[in-house]
Each structure stands twice: as C-alpha cells, then as structure tokens.
Amino acid sequence: MRKIISTMWVTLDGFICGPNGEMDWVAECFDEAMGKYQGEFLFAADTLLLGRVTYQSFAGSWPHVPDNPNVSEDEKEYARRLNAMQKIVFSRTLESADWNNTRLLREIDPTEIERLKSEPGRNINISGSPGLVQSLANLGLIDEYQVLVYPLILGDGKPFLQNIKDRVRLKLVDSKTLPSGVMILYYQPK
C-alpha cells in the first residue's frame, strides 16, 4: 500500500511562516544537503497532494524552471519531475487547475484517499499545504510526518498543526541533521 508522507518546514518555535506568510528564512539554510533531501523526497513519490495556496505558488513557478537558463541542471531535473507527476489540489475556491497532470477536488473524501493509497505506485507526498495536512491528520490518513526544524526562532507567525481534534501519538523512526543545522525528524503514527 502507498503511503501519504507530509514534509513541512518549521522554525524551532513551531511556526511554518511569519505573520504575513513570509518564508524567506527557508532559503537561508538551502544547501546541497537540503537539495539532496528534497530530491529524494520528490523522487520517492509519483503523486503530490496540495492545498490551494501551495498549489498556486508551485504552479506559478515550477512549470517555467526547465526553460530558465539561469538555474542549475539539478533544479531543472527536479522541476521536470515535479511537472510530470500526478498532482491533486484540494480547493473550494480555485476555478481551475491548469498545471500539467493536475486534478482539482473540491473536498476531501476519505474513501477516495484510501482508494488512492491502495493503487499501485510510489508514495503520495504533501509539500507544505498546512490546511490539507491538518485535515488529513484529523482523518488519520497521514502515514509519515517529515518535519524539517530550522535553527531559527521566528517569534510570531502561523503555527504548525493547529486545530487538531484528537491526540495522535507518534514514534520517531529516524532523524538527520544537515550541515546547515536543519534537523529532519521522521515520525509515524503509533
């Protein structure tokens, strides 16, 4: 059975972005090791689940990367893979989802998600998309949380995993510390 795996960047004080959505701090720690992690995370999957805000950010930039002469060949390859994979965006307000291989769903149907997980294929990833992660966590549909803890205290912003209905016990299955100081924690529900 395929697994749904969430990856989220979070500051030491538990924020995923600043009070105005700023995430400039993420780039401060992007290095070769982070690029390797991101590539391995992406290449282990064939489907990407996205909320509206993350979808609009990704769809506004990644389709153009392969044609950009100012980016590295590694980033172009990452973009080509991301552009080619199946994407499902959950939104009640988007009028259309025109990025290559994207399907727009208006609501989360747990039966449909379980069916998707039972199909043959590789992992199903969620990058960012905190509202979607919250909804799927409340339904018990996330199989692994990969939390990238950045060596930064932001002081204010949007907290990670707010409005969770029930306690979810997790077990730490792995951890890595990158040269930048980012710690990657791999958790699975008990």
Side-chain angles (χ1 to χ4, degrees):
M1 182 178 257
R2 301 163 77 190
K3 293 194 288 186
I4 294 181
I5 301 176
S6 164
T7 185
M8 186 71 67
W9 300 328
V10 63
T11 62
L12 185 60
D13 53 347
F15 296 110
I16 57 170
C17 64
N20 298 309
E22 60 273 15
M23 295 185 67
D24 54 322
W25 47 273
V26 171
E28 294 172 14
C29 292
F30 198 90
D31 58 11
E32 186 177 329
M34 181 62 75
K36 183 176 186 243
Y37 163 79
Q38 294 288 4
E40 289 172 354
F41 180 75
L42 178 71
F43 300 157
D46 59 14
T47 304
L48 184 62
L49 304 182
L50 300 160
R52 179 189 55 80
V53 173
T54 305
Y55 169 79
Q56 289 177 312
S57 173
F58 281 23
S61 60
W62 287 111
H64 311 290
V65 170
D67 299 324
N68 185 339
N70 299 320
V71 300
S72 71
E73 192 53 45
D74 286 344
E75 192 170 355
K76 288 179 183 184
E77 177 58 23
Y78 183 90
R80 284 191 282 273
R81 292 231 187 164
L82 188 61
N83 291 332
M85 73 190 312
Q86 174 182 235
K87 293 165 284 292
I88 301 170
V89 59
F90 294 88
S91 173
R92 292 185 184 101
T93 59
L94 272 180
E95 291 182 23
S96 64
D98 301 325
W99 187 12
N100 187 46
N101 295 326
T102 300
R103 184 169 39 138
L104 174 61
L105 296 178
R106 298 290 176 201
E107 61 184 43
I108 296 169
D109 177 353
T111 304
E112 175 68 16
I113 299 293
E114 289 292 353
R115 185 195 61 71
L116 183 65
K117 288 172 68 170
S118 70
E119 291 176 353
R122 297 191 309 259
N123 292 336
I124 303 164
N125 287 353
I126 307 172
S127 290
S129 303
L132 178 59
V133 171
Q134 171 193 312
S135 296
L136 294 176
N138 279 329
L139 293 168
L141 293 171
I142 296 183
D143 300 293
E144 184 171 299
Y145 299 86
Q146 295 182 12
V147 182
L148 285 70
V149 181
Y150 276 68
L152 172 73
I153 297 171
L154 197 55
D156 191 17
K158 183 175 184 175
F160 180 43
L161 290 175
Q162 53 188 344
N163 301 317
I164 297 298
K165 290 190 242 177
D166 297 313
R167 182 181 299 194
V168 178
R169 302 217 27 97
L170 303 171
K171 63 181 176 184
L172 180 67
V173 294
D174 198 3
S175 66
K176 292 180 190 171
T177 303
L178 304 182
S180 63
V182 172
M183 179 173 272
I184 306 172
L185 304 170
Y186 300 80
Y187 290 104
Q188 292 177 348
K190 283 188 176 184

